[in-house]
Amino acid sequence: MSSGPFLVVGLGCQRGCPASTLRALLDQTLQAHGIALDQVRAFASIDLKRDEPGLLELAGQLSLPLTCFSAKELAGHEARLSHLSEIAFERTGCYGIAESAALALADRLGASPASLLVTRQKAAQATLALAVTS
């Protein structure tokens, strides 16, 4: 794996969200921020989505690992979120899956605390955030 910043994509989605929807949101977000797809090192989500076909398919298409965290692990990142979603909290026990998951994994992979490079982007069935660490 090459050195340099780790970019981690955090993803949240509705049950049954197709990989094509997630990919479109990813491509759109990267393009809007001038980030190349090959800079992305990993995907992260909540463990409730561990078996979500669209997420697994996207990770497989791009040959990137998908790491899932428990709501308890994600809740530790609450203070760093750009947006607290009451709906997400009611459904999952954490206030934001995409941002929390991106931060959780980037913190784990990097040498320094991660920060959100791209805050929560929302599509009809999915949310995405991008965290970076050195």
Side-chain angles (χ1 to χ4, degrees):
M1 203 175 275
S2 62
S3 60
F6 275 86
L7 294 185
V8 175
V9 174
L11 290 165
C13 65
Q14 292 173 4
R15 228 0 112 208
C17 177
S20 56
T21 299
L22 294 166
R23 180 66 194 263
L25 180 59
L26 175 64
D27 289 344
Q28 200 181 318
T29 303
L30 294 176
Q31 197 174 2
H33 294 86
I35 298 163
L37 183 59
D38 64 8
Q39 292 178 268
V40 175
R41 303 292 169 82
F43 292 116
S45 192
I46 191 167
D47 58 8
L48 298 170
K49 300 292 178 192
R50 180 170 282 136
D51 301 320
E52 186 60 41
L55 278 178
L56 295 172
E57 189 183 326
L58 179 67
Q61 282 172 2
L62 299 175
S63 303
L64 290 171
L66 170 66
T67 303
C68 295
F69 295 90
S70 70
K72 190 176 178 190
E73 288 173 299
L74 296 182
H77 299 277
E78 207 172 281
R80 295 156 72 191
L81 303 185
S82 72
H83 170 90
L84 298 181
S85 167
E86 291 295 338
I87 295 169
F89 186 77
E90 281 170 28
R91 290 185 187 160
T92 65
C94 83
Y95 280 104
I97 292 166
E99 290 186 353
S100 301
L103 288 167
L105 185 56
D107 277 352
R108 182 187 284 180
L109 294 175
S112 60
S115 58
L116 286 171
L117 184 65
V118 179
T119 56
R120 188 180 81 126
Q121 306 295 303
K122 197 162 170 18
Q125 294 179 286
T127 54
L128 177 151
L130 202 54
V132 62
T133 187
S134 54

